[in-house]
Amino acid sequence: MTTLFHTLGITDIWQLVAATMVFLMLPGPGTFCVLTCAGQRGLRGGFASLAGLMVGDAVLMFLAAIGVAALLQANPLLFKGMQYLGAAYLAWLGFRLLTAKAEEGGAVVPFSSAADFRRGLLVTMINPKAIVFYMAFFPLFIDPAMHRGVATFLSMGAVIATCTLFYGSLLVLVGNGAAKRLARNRRIASFASKAAGVFLIGFGIKLTTN
């Protein structure tokens, strides 16, 4: 499978999957939105909010892909520099996770009176950092020499969407009660965040040395 994705211009599919899963497992508005909808309205509410999250992600990935593709075509050298900036961005995110203090709460989800799908969509779309993340994330896994344009970005988007569907389904089906308890346990939540921070810093360093 690695060879197949490499022919599409994706440098390391398993690193892409691992990095995506780490980001998905970090507690955030999207996670709490899915948990809240599942807790209030059961499976239907949970999967409806998850669908909204995935549609929102698809829109942001499309916008980011347009920018990355334009940069790759216009200036390959600048694109290479963006890859290093992306690696530095991941390391910076990891450093912030390592140094962040545990916070109470965080599970408040806005738009409580809206439909579950709309809640998931809006929680994603109102996050201005998401498109910046994708702009930094996509170049890390693209081989400019093997790049296949739309096919490359569609493949990366499909991988990210599959990871999101897998993890989101786990939250809805079996993770609801457990995830809520973990969210209330500051010690476990802090350890998970710091472990993710170490991973992101190491991942960023590895990418710059490849």
Side-chain angles (χ1 to χ4, degrees):
M1 189 170 72
T2 301
T3 303
L4 173 62
F5 279 97
H6 187 65
T7 60
L8 293 171
I10 301 175
T11 55
D12 195 320
I13 183 60
W14 296 117
Q15 286 188 4
L16 173 61
V17 171
T20 300
M21 292 303 298
V22 167
F23 284 119
L24 287 174
M25 287 185 286
L26 291 176
T31 298
F32 292 122
C33 178
V34 172
L35 290 174
T36 301
C37 291
Q40 293 177 346
R41 296 176 181 85
L43 294 180
R44 178 176 296 182
F47 280 112
S49 65
L50 176 59
L53 287 174
M54 294 181 67
V55 171
D57 273 342
V59 173
L60 296 180
M61 282 190 284
F62 173 74
L63 295 175
I66 292 176
V68 172
L71 181 62
L72 175 60
Q73 185 175 7
N75 195 323
L77 183 61
L78 186 59
F79 176 81
K80 187 66 177 178
M82 189 174 180
Q83 289 182 311
Y84 282 99
L85 287 176
Y89 179 66
L90 292 187
W92 178 74
L93 289 178
F95 176 76
R96 290 198 59 183
L97 287 173
L98 281 175
T99 58
K101 295 181 179 179
E103 298 181 356
E104 293 282 0
V108 177
V109 181
F111 317 111
S112 58
S113 61
D116 294 319
F117 177 86
R118 186 180 300 175
R119 291 174 69 183
L121 179 64
L122 291 178
V123 162
T124 302
M125 296 300 294
I126 65 173
N127 183 5
K129 295 181 180 179
I131 192 169
V132 177
F133 166 74
Y134 285 121
M135 284 287 291
F137 193 63
F138 277 170
L140 299 176
F141 302 96
I142 294 177
D143 183 353
M146 300 290 292
H147 186 256
R148 294 294 181 269
V150 175
T152 299
F153 288 111
L154 286 178
S155 298
M156 295 182 71
V159 170
I160 295 174
T162 300
C163 292
T164 303
L165 178 61
F166 172 76
Y167 180 69
S169 297
L170 287 180
L171 286 180
V172 175
L173 294 174
V174 299
N176 193 359
K180 286 182 177 179
R181 286 193 293 271
L182 288 177
R184 291 194 295 265
N185 191 315
R186 297 177 62 187
R187 180 176 297 178
I188 296 178
S190 176
F191 175 79
S193 293
K194 292 185 184 304
V198 171
F199 175 87
L200 293 180
I201 292 174
F203 189 61
I205 294 174
K206 182 179 185 298
L207 288 172
T208 59
T209 57
N210 281 345

